[in-house]
Structures are given as structure tokens and as C-alpha cells.
Amino acid sequence: MKVRVKFAKYGCMKFIGHLDVMRFFQKAIRRAGIDVAYSTGYSPHQIMSFASPLGVGMYSNGEYMDIEVRTSLDVRTSLEVRTSLEAKAPAENVLMPQMSSAEMCRRLNEVSVPGIEILSVKALPESAGNAMASVAAARYTVYFKDPALNFHFLDSCLEDFLAQPAIMVTKETKKGISQMDLRLGIYECRVTADGSLEFLVDASSGGNIKPALLINALWRFAGRKRLSYFAGQSYAQEEELPLIALQQVREETYTNTGTAESPVFVPLDEVGEEF
């Protein structure tokens, strides 16, 4: 059975890279006593995949991991879950998980560390794609670490920025430097009442927009407005806004249940159900 785990990453854990997070969960799953499935072959490993690796230094309230757990007959399973499964197979042949989603969530939190919190555990339908292939968009909140600073200098120019037919930026990839148009991948962008910058952008494998690309495009577009707004700040004259001055938070990761022309974004855990 495929299970999707949603978790938050914050505090000192923001400095832990993706590979170490993956190793942490491999150990946490064993310590929690979850009967996870392993791959076959000479070097078996837990069947596990992550939606989208989080950059070092970023917080997140919406990270996702898919695992595959073994199943067994369990007469203690709730009547609601059994009824829904019996619609697909005879009762005597229904394979049920060895523990409920609430129990799995509780056990993982008990063996977790400060900075990683399990938020939900959901069973996925067989038709669901894996977490990484399902990612279509992500929502971010960005704010200055210095509480005296904010993004209100964008209030008078954000509408003009989004009205551009194209927003070209230079993107560095493994294959070299290329040009990328951000405009089609920006679904929402606004400055909140408290001066934070909030945006919903394309996070798919084909058009992934990293927050830094959008932030620096806005920084350059603001031009004179940010020069006067940040008068006296050492980085006001710089072409790009030093990301060390900001705290980036990935609020949620979405899949698209609509079409490419008319997307309908829903959180990745909404395609599953508790068990």
C-alpha cells in the first residue's frame, strides 16, 4: 500500500540537506516499527520518494514523502475503511494496513527530532502517481529576517511587474546558462498586510521556478523604489537581493487536478485518505 506522509521542517533543521533528511526518515521509519516495503536485489532499500527537495536554509510547512508499506489482514480496521475497500474486493480478501494512519503519525513524531514534525499520513489510491511526478505548484512566503524591513516597497509596482508579457531571467542549470520566462509560471503574487511576499508558482519538473529567481526579478524591476526605500542598507545598491537577508518558507506543495489550460491546484495529501 502506498502511503503519503506530510511533514514540516523548521528551526535548526533548515540547515540539513535533502540527502540527510532522507537518511533521517529511513531510520525513523525503522524506529517507529512501520512495516515498510523494501526493494529487491543485491542492495535492498526502503521504497521511498520525496515530492521536491527543499533548499538548505528554507523552512517548510508542506513537505511530502511517499513510502510503501506492507499490508495484512486486520479485523481491528475501522468499519468505514473496510466498507470502502470492500467495494473493490471481497471482504475475506481485503488487505489492511497493520496500523492506522493516526498511529503511524504518532509513532513517527515520537521518534522524530526538533525541527521535523509529521502533520498527516494518508493512503494513496492505486491510480495516484508518485510524489515527485505529481508536483505542479508550490506556495511560498518570504520575509526579511530584520523585523524593521518588509516588502511594502513593491506595493506601487507589483501590478506593473505582473502586467509584463514576459519576465526573462538568466537561469543556471547543469547544462549551462539559459534564458527562462517566469511570467507563465507565476499564478499568484502579492504583498501581505505584514509586509511579507507571498506567491504561488510553477514547481513542476518542466518549469520549476525557484523563489530566488522571482525575488531577484522583482528586486531589479523595483529599481529606484527600493533604492530610496532601503536608503542606508548596504545591499540596496546591489543588482540582486542577498538571500541571507531573507527567510523563505514553502507553505504548501500542490498537484494539478485540472488541465494545463485551466489548472486546479490541491495539496498533495488531498488525493489520499486516512485509514
Side-chain angles (χ1 to χ4, degrees), residues 29-256:
I29 288 170
R30 291 197 299 268
R31 290 168 180 165
I34 296 172
D35 194 9
V36 65
Y38 283 78
S39 63
T40 58
Y42 181 76
S43 179
H45 58 273
Q46 295 178 12
I47 300 177
M48 169 189 298
S49 66
F50 288 78
S52 181
L54 188 68
V56 175
M58 294 179 65
Y59 291 160
S60 179
N61 296 314
E63 294 302 285
Y64 291 93
M65 169 186 69
D66 286 357
I67 61 174
E68 188 169 323
V69 297
R70 298 175 184 176
T71 54
S72 64
L73 288 172
D74 190 345
V75 297
R76 296 170 296 176
T77 304
S78 69
L79 178 61
E80 293 80 13
V81 175
R82 180 174 293 279
T83 300
S84 65
L85 290 176
E86 284 176 352
K88 301 178 181 179
E92 62 272 14
N93 295 326
V94 174
L95 292 177
M96 309 303 292
Q98 292 185 326
M99 65 178 71
S100 68
S101 55
E103 174 71 5
M104 194 175 294
C105 185
R106 182 187 66 81
R107 289 194 184 192
L108 284 171
N109 276 320
E110 284 182 348
V111 299
S112 189
V113 295
I116 291 185
E117 179 184 356
I118 312 304
L119 302 176
S120 70
V121 177
K122 301 282 186 71
L124 295 176
E126 293 185 5
S127 59
N130 65 50
M132 182 173 291
S134 300
V135 174
R139 184 178 299 279
Y140 295 89
T141 298
V142 181
Y143 57 88
F144 284 90
K145 294 177 181 178
D146 185 344
L149 305 179
N150 57 60
F151 281 98
H152 279 307
F153 69 97
L154 294 174
D155 288 340
S156 60
C157 63
L158 184 56
E159 185 175 345
D160 292 337
F161 175 79
L162 296 175
Q164 298 177 98
I167 303 174
M168 303 303 298
V169 298
T170 300
K171 182 178 181 180
E172 293 186 12
T173 66
K174 294 180 180 179
K175 297 182 180 180
I177 298 176
S178 62
Q179 293 292 308
M180 178 181 183
D181 183 5
L182 299 182
R183 186 62 194 93
L184 292 177
I186 304 174
Y187 305 117
E188 297 175 15
C189 187
R190 68 187 186 97
V191 177
T192 64
D194 65 358
S196 299
L197 182 66
E198 183 182 285
F199 48 89
L200 175 68
V201 293
D202 188 343
S204 64
S205 58
N208 183 31
I209 296 179
K210 294 184 178 181
L213 291 175
L214 177 54
I215 293 168
N216 283 316
L218 277 165
W219 181 256
R220 289 189 292 269
F221 185 84
R224 294 181 180 178
K225 294 182 184 298
R226 49 95 169 171
L227 284 174
S228 59
Y229 192 86
F230 292 98
Q233 294 292 333
S234 60
Y235 50 77
Q237 299 283 344
E238 297 187 27
E239 181 69 12
E240 294 188 349
L241 176 59
L243 297 181
I244 195 171
L246 304 174
Q247 181 58 64
Q248 303 175 50
V249 184
R250 181 150 65 193
E251 301 289 359
E252 186 58 88
T253 308
Y254 301 91
T255 188
N256 182 13

